[in-house]
């Protein structure tokens, strides 16, 4: 694919062991392959002006400055990178002093955000090894190996070995435009392999989110996981339960809102990771024949919209993911005697509060999500003024889209979706005719495909809903 680049790749691979084995580490020999500019296809045209500005200013101030991570990986794969991460030997304070438009963020992992309009360049100081006689306030690890803080500064080689995957440890130098490869990342890019740097068990224990990142990159790049990187995931999946829900929310957005949601979802299910993020949804998928399909359809639609550069909202996706548990809990509430609407409200409340213990959902998404659920109850009611109130509801469109997915997934008999498709764009006259027709034959009224849906657990319910 890249001429000079491929030639470079054919040079015999150096032993990775010396990088991680005690010998190499003790001797401190820098094991780096430097790929000169003429032997790789990455040029400054791959990078934004903002990213270059940050690199040059650091360089001119006498610091080392590299682009690292996703942007180099993506550029080597022939994709245009969208966000840029800079690594430097300057401390966060030194970086901040160089850029007026910057601020230091994060405690667990201190970095500097340099802002140019809407673009943010992330600048990180080289990390060293945690735990070497450093004070707790810079690096901290829990008894089971979870890295609580990681703010020990180091050199570029140490920094490379702290990164997650070999393909994410490639550095582009602004001094001579060469690429520095510390972990045979270029070889893995060529072989389309995702490989953790170092011992997989240790690296997953340090940060279980790396399991999610593995799946995300595999789906996005169409890479496979190296056997040793893949092997521990199933067993280690429950470590995700230690991760703060707010961090998992950010990760979930990256997993599902980056245009590869379906593939990512299937991998998450395959490795038992999905159930750690959405336990009740995972249980519902085991019991309700349509619940998994509903999520796939929602992700297909999200992926399509992202590729067409149309807007997407996580509220819709969360509504689909959690709909299975809502339906189950609503049935339980109805079996206890609650009428349908309060039963749905109680169910929504329960599902949301359980979910927030795992992945947080900010109010700006959970409120519209609940509206989408409420409207599922209202869409079948097509009499009188109600139908116009439903039509005018700000979440009507999302709720209608969800109704179509429910029919598509086989939860509901088809019909109601089509009715709304026609009704929403009809003129007054046509609308009156459609409403009359509903009175005569309320076919396709949002009836569940499986009539046994209600009172599964309590066959002799007495809630009197005629
Ligand atoms: P993309 O931006 O396309 O999602 P990326 O690889 O740039 O991919 P970022 O989250 O932007 O991902 O992180 C930038 C770099 O920081 C990564 O490439 C990796 O080298 C390092 N990194 C990020 N998260 C971790 C982590 N949890 N453990 C170790 N290294 C990490
Ligand atoms: Mg990035």
């Amino acid at each position: 694919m890249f001429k000079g680049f491929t030639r470079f790749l054919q040079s015999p691979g150096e032993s990775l062991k010396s990088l991680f084995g005690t010998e190499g580490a003790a001797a401190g020999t820098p094991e780096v392959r430097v790929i000169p500019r003429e032997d790789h296809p990455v040029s400054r045209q791959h990078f934004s002006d903002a990213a270059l500005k940050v690199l040059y200013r650091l360089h001119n101030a006498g610091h080392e400055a590299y682009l690292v991570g996703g942007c180099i990986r993506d550029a080597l794969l022939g994709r245009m990178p969208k966000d840029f991460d800079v690594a430097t030997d300057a401390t966060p304070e030194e970086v901040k002093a160089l850029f007026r438009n910057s601020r230091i963020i994060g405690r667990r992992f201190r970095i500097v955000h340099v802002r140019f309009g809407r673009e943010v360049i992330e600048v990180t100081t080289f990390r060293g090894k945690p735990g070497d006689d450093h004070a707790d306030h810079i690096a901290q690890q829990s008894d089971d190996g979870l890295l609580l803080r990681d703010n020990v500064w180091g050199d570029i080689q140490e920094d490379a070995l702290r990164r997650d995957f070999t393909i994410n440890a490639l550095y582009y130098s602004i001094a001579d435009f060469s690429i520095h490869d510390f972990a045979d990342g270029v070889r893995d890019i060529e072989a389309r392999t995702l490989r953790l740097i170092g011992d997989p068990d240790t690296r997953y224990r340090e940060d279980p989110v790396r399991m999610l990142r593995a799946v995300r990159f595999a789906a996005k790049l169409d890479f496979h996981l190296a056997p040793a990187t893949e092997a521990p995931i199933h067993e280690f999946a429950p470590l995700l339960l230690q991760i703060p829900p707010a961090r998992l929310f950010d990760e979930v957005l990256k997993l599902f809102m980056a245009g590869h949601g379906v593939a990512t979802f299937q991998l998450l299910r395959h490795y038992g990771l999905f159930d750690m993020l959405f336990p009740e949804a995972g249980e519902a998928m085991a019991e309700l024949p349509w619940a998994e399909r509903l999520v796939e359809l929602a992700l297909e639609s999200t992926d399509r919209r992202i590729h067409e550069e149309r807007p997407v909202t996580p509220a819709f996706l969360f509504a689909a993911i959690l709909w299975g548990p809502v339906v189950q809990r609503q049935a339980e509430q109805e079996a206890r005697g609650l009428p349908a609407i309060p039963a749905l409200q109680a169910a929504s409340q329960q599902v949301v509060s359980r979910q927030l213990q795992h992945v947080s959902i900010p109010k700006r998404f959970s409120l519209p999500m609940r509206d989408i659920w409420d409207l599922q109850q209202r869409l079948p009611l097509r009499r009188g003024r109600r139908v116009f109130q439903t039509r005018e509801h700000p979440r009507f469109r999302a709720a209608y889209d969800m109704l179509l997915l429910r029919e598509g997934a086989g939860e509901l008999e088809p019909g109601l979706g089509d009715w709304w498709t026609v009704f929403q764009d009809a003129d007054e006259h046509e609308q009156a005719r459609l409403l009359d027709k509903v009175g005569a034959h309320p076919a396709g009224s949002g009836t569940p495909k499986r009539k046994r849906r209600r009172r599964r657990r309590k066959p002799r319910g007495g809630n009197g809903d005629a």
Side-chain angles (χ1 to χ4, degrees):
M1 101 182 102
F2 329 116
K3 274 192 192 136
F5 191 51
T6 326
R7 174 165 53 79
F8 165 78
L9 288 169
Q10 282 158 356
S11 68
E14 292 137 8
S15 155
L16 269 179
K17 278 195 204 105
S18 55
L19 269 181
F20 310 115
T22 39
E23 283 168 42
T29 35
E31 299 268 351
V32 54
R33 289 169 156 193
V34 178
I35 311 170
R37 172 65 192 94
E38 59 275 20
D39 287 350
H40 70 72
V42 179
S43 80
R44 274 166 291 170
Q45 281 165 11
H46 284 100
F47 310 132
S48 70
D49 291 346
L52 293 170
K53 212 179 255 178
V54 171
L55 289 173
Y56 278 119
R57 192 167 305 169
L58 285 165
H59 179 70
N60 293 337
H63 296 291
E64 289 182 58
Y66 299 84
L67 278 170
V68 62
C71 58
I72 303 307
R73 175 195 74 215
D74 290 351
L76 282 172
L77 285 165
R79 300 160 174 246
M80 267 327 257
K82 287 201 196 84
D83 76 48
F84 299 95
D85 302 296
V86 170
T88 177
D89 62 355
T91 63
E93 289 72 20
E94 287 171 329
V95 176
K96 187 163 179 349
L98 281 173
F99 299 96
R100 256 187 307 118
N101 48 339
S102 68
R103 64 198 185 101
I104 299 177
I105 62 154
R107 267 161 60 88
R108 199 182 66 86
F109 201 86
R110 289 173 76 218
I111 61 180
V112 184
H113 274 179
V114 186
R115 183 175 284 283
F116 297 85
R118 297 189 54 171
E119 189 175 355
V120 175
I121 307 295
E122 277 194 14
V123 184
T124 54
T125 305
F126 295 148
R127 252 66 182 178
K129 276 197 235 68
D132 306 345
D133 68 3
H134 288 288
D136 271 3
H137 68 282
I138 24 187
Q140 212 179 356
Q141 209 155 5
S142 74
D143 293 340
D144 41 10
L146 185 74
L147 209 48
L148 301 173
R149 281 182 195 198
D150 187 359
N151 290 314
V152 178
W153 314 141
D155 61 26
I156 184 171
Q157 187 193 357
E158 289 173 312
D159 186 75
L161 303 186
R162 299 294 312 139
R163 292 183 180 268
D164 47 6
F165 302 99
T166 60
I167 61 168
N168 285 345
L170 296 164
Y171 295 69
Y172 173 92
S173 163
I174 200 63
D176 61 4
F177 316 125
S178 61
I179 290 179
H180 296 223
D181 179 359
F182 293 89
D184 272 353
V186 167
R187 179 196 63 189
D188 283 337
I189 284 188
E190 276 283 285
R192 308 191 79 82
T193 303
L194 210 60
R195 189 189 314 275
L196 272 175
I197 298 175
D199 168 54
D201 284 16
T202 312
R203 302 307 312 279
Y204 286 140
R205 274 190 227 281
E206 279 175 1
D207 184 4
V209 169
R210 289 174 185 150
M211 294 185 279
L212 299 178
R213 291 175 59 85
V215 162
R216 175 155 71 84
F217 294 131
K220 169 180 163 179
L221 306 171
D222 194 20
F223 273 36
H224 68 271
L225 304 191
T229 296
E230 177 174 41
I233 296 185
H234 222 282
E235 185 194 334
F236 282 14
L239 295 179
L240 284 172
L241 302 172
Q242 313 170 356
I243 305 299
R247 181 167 178 219
L248 289 181
F249 172 74
D250 293 342
E251 263 335 289
V252 164
L253 289 193
K254 291 187 204 161
L255 288 164
F256 291 146
M257 310 291 286
H260 309 274
V262 175
T264 307
F265 172 65
Q266 285 162 350
L267 287 175
L268 289 173
R269 291 278 288 164
H270 174 78
Y271 289 114
L273 294 165
F274 180 82
D275 290 37
M276 300 303 140
L277 302 171
F278 299 98
E280 288 203 338
E283 283 165 32
M285 285 174 193
E287 289 173 30
L288 302 170
W290 47 263
E292 181 159 13
R293 186 71 195 128
L294 180 70
V295 175
E296 279 175 353
L297 289 176
L299 286 165
E300 270 173 28
S301 135
T302 304
D303 288 349
R304 204 176 320 116
R305 293 180 70 103
I306 290 171
H307 290 126
E308 292 166 0
E309 297 185 5
R310 287 157 65 200
V312 286
T313 164
F316 181 75
L317 206 54
F318 280 107
I321 292 174
L322 296 174
W323 180 243
V326 169
V327 167
Q328 287 183 315
R329 286 185 176 270
Q330 183 186 10
E332 283 168 18
Q333 294 297 330
E334 288 185 40
R336 289 205 192 107
L338 274 188
I341 289 180
L344 177 76
Q345 277 161 1
S348 309
Q349 177 71 50
Q350 291 167 347
V351 169
V352 172
S353 69
R354 283 286 308 273
Q355 183 55 44
L356 295 182
Q357 295 166 16
H358 297 277
V359 177
S360 66
I361 309 177
K363 282 252 162 51
R364 67 182 186 283
F365 300 127
S366 66
L367 295 179
M369 172 179 81
R370 294 184 62 163
D371 284 345
I372 293 171
W373 292 339
D374 284 345
L375 282 163
Q376 300 308 307
Q377 203 82 308
R378 294 215 243 152
L379 286 165
L381 310 175
R382 291 165 291 161
R383 299 269 166 84
R385 271 183 306 129
R386 271 235 176 97
V387 73
F388 295 99
Q389 286 168 357
T390 300
R391 175 71 188 87
E392 294 312 314
H393 193 287
R395 308 290 165 221
F396 166 77
R397 183 67 208 197
Y400 156 79
D401 285 343
M402 168 117 164
L403 172 68
L404 294 180
L405 298 190
R406 293 172 65 204
E407 292 184 351
E411 182 201 352
L412 301 177
E413 297 289 354
L416 183 59
D418 283 346
W419 188 89
W420 277 106
T421 305
V422 180
F423 183 84
Q424 60 184 302
D425 294 325
D427 60 27
E428 249 173 71
H429 178 74
E430 175 70 1
Q431 284 185 337
R433 199 184 61 79
L434 285 162
L435 289 171
D436 267 0
K437 235 167 98 183
V438 174
H441 323 272
S445 53
T447 34
K449 256 203 167 147
R450 294 177 185 256
K451 302 257 155 59
R452 288 175 287 111
R453 180 177 67 121
R454 286 193 185 160
R455 290 184 223 112
R456 252 180 324 115
R457 293 183 196 169
K458 200 176 163 197
R460 293 199 306 125
N463 59 12
D465 55 350

